[in-house]
Amino acid sequence: MTIRIYRTKHGVKHDLGPEHPESPDRLYAIDDQLLASGLEMVCEHADAKPIAEAYLTLAHSPEYVQSVFARAQHLSASAKAHPDANHKDNNPVTWLDDDTGMMEYTLPAALESAGAGCNAVDWAMQGDDRQAFCLARPPGHHATYDGSMGFCLFNNVAIAARYALQNYQLSRVAIIDFDVHHGNGTENIIAGDQRIMMCSSFQHPFYPHSGAPVSASNILSVPIEAGSTGEVFREKVSHWFNALENFHPELIFISAGFDGHAEDPMAHLRLTEDDYFWVSQRIRRVADSCCNGRVVSTLEGGYDLSALGRSVVAHLKGLSHP
């Protein structure tokens, strides 16, 4: 097995309060299942390095990036002025939108999450048969070119894809997004960029109420009705793999959201760990055929803690078994 897991030091410190579903407990639940499954011992591990600010503009407007840093600077100044507020239960939060907040450790966590994808690209491109998984918090696929949304500050997968194209002179990369929510931010950023093929499945109609019809010819969208089972999911996405083979990407990215699981409270699909194993294995086979097994996967959604941990294990097993 050559899977490397990239961890974010500040990922567990980014905490918007006990009522927010995108919580640090998600990372703890994944770690627990990795340990119980034995994968913790056989995967490689690396700490993510924060991304350089200049790379954020590969996917975002300079004005938006500057606004996020300005918010963070204000929070840091507030924390220093009121040291008693540093306890996580009293840490001041500023809200960028209805769902996406920032506290003292959010920007460091977001920079590490975006950096993890780029670190993983560097590692994957240094050899053959390399797969990486980024334990990214906050997630990224709802972040648009010029705004936050849906728990996401920076679009980790779009940044990593553009980073690979720029730094390794690649001609074609693919992004597969099987989160239950449409990756509207990713589509917003890469629509019309013919170097990037995006395959996206999502419950529809559902938040963020986008994705159908598609916005550009480089997008393959698969809307799925609420209540659909894994059998329906497999049938609907099965055409992806021939399309990917024809596109022949030189590196494959995955926005790996596990909130389509039957036990997840945030949506209404009925997928199981077996479905995540299946789709991950199919992606690995395309990677073996097209790009020497190189895959970079990054965590998106998944909010039932037990189901999330089990699904990540299934995902990694699928990526490691061609």
Side-chain angles (χ1 to χ4, degrees):
M1 177 183 288
T2 53
I3 292 180
R4 175 177 283 192
I5 297 176
Y6 282 88
R7 298 178 177 276
T8 54
K9 179 175 65 174
H10 288 90
V12 294
K13 297 181 179 181
H14 163 57
D15 190 345
L16 301 178
E19 302 303 317
H20 201 282
E22 207 290 285
S23 75
D25 289 341
R26 300 177 68 230
L27 297 185
Y28 294 129
I30 291 170
D31 280 339
D32 286 347
Q33 289 294 333
L34 289 174
L35 188 62
S37 69
L39 288 182
E40 175 75 19
M41 303 302 294
V42 296
C43 291
E44 297 184 20
H45 299 272
D47 292 328
K49 298 177 182 178
I51 194 170
E53 183 178 347
Y55 281 128
L56 295 173
T57 57
L58 290 171
H60 298 289
S61 71
E63 294 78 13
Y64 171 63
V65 172
Q66 291 164 12
S67 74
V68 172
F69 274 78
R71 294 282 193 110
Q73 188 173 22
H74 176 76
L75 279 167
S76 178
S78 176
K80 290 177 181 177
H82 305 283
D84 292 341
N86 283 338
H87 189 277
K88 71 174 184 178
D89 292 333
N90 299 310
N91 219 321
V93 174
T94 183
W95 293 94
L96 305 184
D97 55 65
D98 290 344
D99 303 311
T100 314
M102 291 183 66
M103 45 81 73
E104 182 182 1
Y105 298 110
T106 299
L107 181 59
L111 294 176
E112 288 169 358
S113 290
C118 299
N119 299 160
V121 167
D122 290 338
W123 180 75
M125 294 303 297
Q126 289 169 12
D128 294 340
D129 190 21
R130 291 189 170 196
Q131 302 85 42
F133 181 63
C134 304
L135 286 172
R137 282 195 68 245
H141 76 152
H142 292 309
T144 65
Y145 175 71
D146 57 5
S148 64
M149 187 175 178
F151 315 157
C152 305
L153 266 76
F154 301 131
N155 198 302
N156 304 317
V157 75
I159 292 167
R162 289 266 176 81
Y163 174 89
L165 290 164
Q166 173 180 289
N167 286 30
Y168 292 92
Q169 293 77 51
L170 303 184
S171 300
R172 297 171 309 282
V173 301
I175 298 172
I176 295 96
D177 185 333
F178 51 71
D179 192 280
V180 80
H181 303 98
H182 174 236
N184 62 299
T186 308
E187 182 167 327
N188 168 259
I189 292 164
I190 64 96
D193 187 341
Q194 298 300 326
R195 302 171 300 169
I196 305 175
M197 178 180 181
M198 180 180 180
C199 299
S200 175
S201 64
F202 47 91
Q203 182 179 321
H204 184 77
F206 197 48
Y207 180 89
H209 308 289
S210 57
V214 298
S215 59
S217 61
N218 61 319
I219 313 292
L220 281 182
S221 283
V222 176
I224 303 176
E225 292 183 0
S228 294
T229 64
E231 182 179 4
V232 173
F233 166 77
R234 296 186 194 200
E235 180 182 355
K236 284 184 173 290
V237 305
S238 60
H239 67 288
W240 281 354
F241 308 109
N242 284 337
L244 287 164
E245 291 267 6
N246 291 335
F247 183 68
H248 210 81
E250 296 162 288
L251 182 60
I252 293 177
F253 295 88
I254 304 174
S255 271
F258 302 99
D259 36 7
H261 195 284
E263 297 173 21
D264 198 287
M266 294 283 281
H268 312 95
L269 297 187
R270 296 167 57 196
L271 306 188
T272 68
E273 298 95 296
D274 286 344
D275 300 308
Y276 293 118
F277 176 88
W278 174 85
V279 71
S280 304
Q281 186 178 58
R282 292 295 304 270
I283 294 169
R284 168 62 191 275
R285 289 173 181 169
V286 174
D288 286 344
S289 173
C290 297
C291 52
N292 299 316
R294 297 186 180 110
V295 179
V296 172
S297 178
T298 189
L299 179 66
E300 300 287 0
Y303 305 99
D304 180 272
L305 298 180
S306 176
L308 171 62
R310 301 191 320 263
S311 297
V312 168
V313 167
H315 174 55
L316 297 182
K317 287 182 175 179
L319 288 181
S320 64
H321 291 84

